[in-house]
């Protein structure tokens, strides 16, 4: 996993919001932590993939995923979590595992009291490339450019997770933190 | 929610295993806690439904479900958890939420170090009624008879969760507790 951050971030460079993006999956769950503000270049703190063993039992895989996501949240203290929305039209052979992984990711954010937002792939593509039908290469190219990276994040799941975090920052999701809603539902603020 | 148990069970009547059955759902999640041993009548401790508000945000719903399942586990101290397996052929409009709820239920068991087993609806029907194509009424009738209840558990989601717990007991799932497997995957023992 690519990591730019100090072991325990205490101060943040510039004004902005720190977002954990999650591209949910059971075998490969993309994660990216990005800092920035709307319309400006962002800074990559973490980009990578949480893998769980396809040969292991489901409960152990979900437990491992939960533990690694909780550790990322504890270490990097994001202000918000952005998770890709799963549709039933997804790849039929993996959609149940993907949905279960997304539930674990959303819960991981909610348990830490963070606002959690879900985005469709089209919303992420449009936010990052300006084009809702962009392909994976175009997303990776734009993510590399926006973050001013020397090389493209790999694998594609990591780039997708980073794109989710950028999408959340650029769409102004950070506002939720600055002007929190009142009442119970405001705390975890999922847009559906 | 129907509850037969003392506020905090300390001793158990008879020899047997205590199982939490979960029929996962986001709006209505059936739960049943049953105690017993293979081939004998069982004792119902808890039967009911955990509801989350369809108008609330997804993260809050998953957080509420997680909290209520964790509270059930903490209060009734089951030895194992049995969860209905979700298939992508499920009702398309609700399958993603059902899969997310199942992930939360499996994680709730695994986080408490309990063995978690998933069963198909056919396996549960066959175990409880002797007939894999049994309908909901037949399951409710058999559950009522096996538990010697004065009236049938309602709604159907509660009866299904209770049937899952009975299925796990009668199929000898309790063995996993008596002869734990070694190594990491043994702890949460999901049969897939």
């Amino acid at each position: 996993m690519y990591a730019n951050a100090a072991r325990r971030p205490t101060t943040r460079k510039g004004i902005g919001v720190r977002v954990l993006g999650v591209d949910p999956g059971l075998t490969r769950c993309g994660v990216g932590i990005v800092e920035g503000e709307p319309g400006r270049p962002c800074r990559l703190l973490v980009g990578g993939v949480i893998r769980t063993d396809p040969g292991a039992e489901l409960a152990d895989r979900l437990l491992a995923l939960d533990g690694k996501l909780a550790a990322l949240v504890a270490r990097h203290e994001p202000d918000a979590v952005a998770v890709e929305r799963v549709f039933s039209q997804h790849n039929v052979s993996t959609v149940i595992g993907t949905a279960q992984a997304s539930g674990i990711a959303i819960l991981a954010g909610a348990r830490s009291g963070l606002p959690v937002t879900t985005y469709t792939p089209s919303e992420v593509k449009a936010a990052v490339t300006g084009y809702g039908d962009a392909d994976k290469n175009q997303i990776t190219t734009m993510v590399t450019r926006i973050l001013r990276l020397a090389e493209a994040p790999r694998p594609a799941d990591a780039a997708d997770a980073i794109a989710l975090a950028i999408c959340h920052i650029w769409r102004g999701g950070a506002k939720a933190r600055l002007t929190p809603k009142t009442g119970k539902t405001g705390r975890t603020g999922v847009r559906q």
Side-chain angles (χ1 to χ4, degrees), chain A:
Chain A
M1 191 171 295
Y2 177 95
N4 253 337
R7 277 200 77 78
R8 177 149 302 277
T10 49
T11 58
R12 303 196 180 173
K13 290 181 182 170
I15 298 163
V17 65
R18 182 177 294 178
V19 178
L20 166 62
V22 182
D23 181 25
L26 204 47
T27 301
R28 288 188 315 278
C29 181
V31 290
I33 300 182
V34 177
E35 217 172 54
E37 54 190 311
R40 310 205 51 177
C42 298
R43 192 166 80 97
L44 178 66
L45 299 174
V46 174
V49 166
I50 296 172
R51 294 173 197 274
T52 73
D53 178 3
E57 291 171 341
L58 178 59
D60 284 318
R61 301 179 75 183
L62 296 178
L63 191 63
L65 179 60
D66 178 65
K68 288 175 181 175
L69 287 170
L72 268 183
V73 169
R75 179 169 166 187
H76 296 284
E77 299 178 344
D79 304 301
V81 180
V83 181
E84 187 172 305
R85 202 178 307 174
V86 185
F87 294 94
S88 54
Q89 294 83 356
H90 235 87
N91 182 340
V92 168
S93 70
T94 58
V95 67
I96 300 301
T98 304
Q100 289 170 327
S102 79
I104 302 305
I106 293 167
L107 180 67
R111 277 217 317 263
S112 296
L114 301 176
V116 181
T117 309
T118 60
Y119 293 102
T120 67
S122 297
E123 287 173 325
V124 176
K125 289 170 181 174
V128 172
T129 70
Y131 179 57
D133 284 333
D135 64 22
K136 287 205 173 280
N137 284 340
Q138 290 171 304
I139 292 174
T140 299
T141 301
M142 280 307 294
V143 161
T144 308
R145 195 174 302 172
I146 292 164
L147 298 170
R148 298 167 175 167
L149 301 177
E151 56 185 281
R154 300 270 177 237
D157 309 82
D160 284 347
I162 294 166
L164 272 153
I166 296 171
C167 168
H168 186 71
I169 294 168
W170 282 8
R171 285 176 60 129
K175 284 175 192 160
R177 186 173 63 101
L178 302 174
T179 55
K181 285 184 272 178
T182 54
K184 187 190 161 212
T185 56
R187 197 165 51 84
T188 50
V190 168
R191 275 189 222 144
Q192 282 255 62

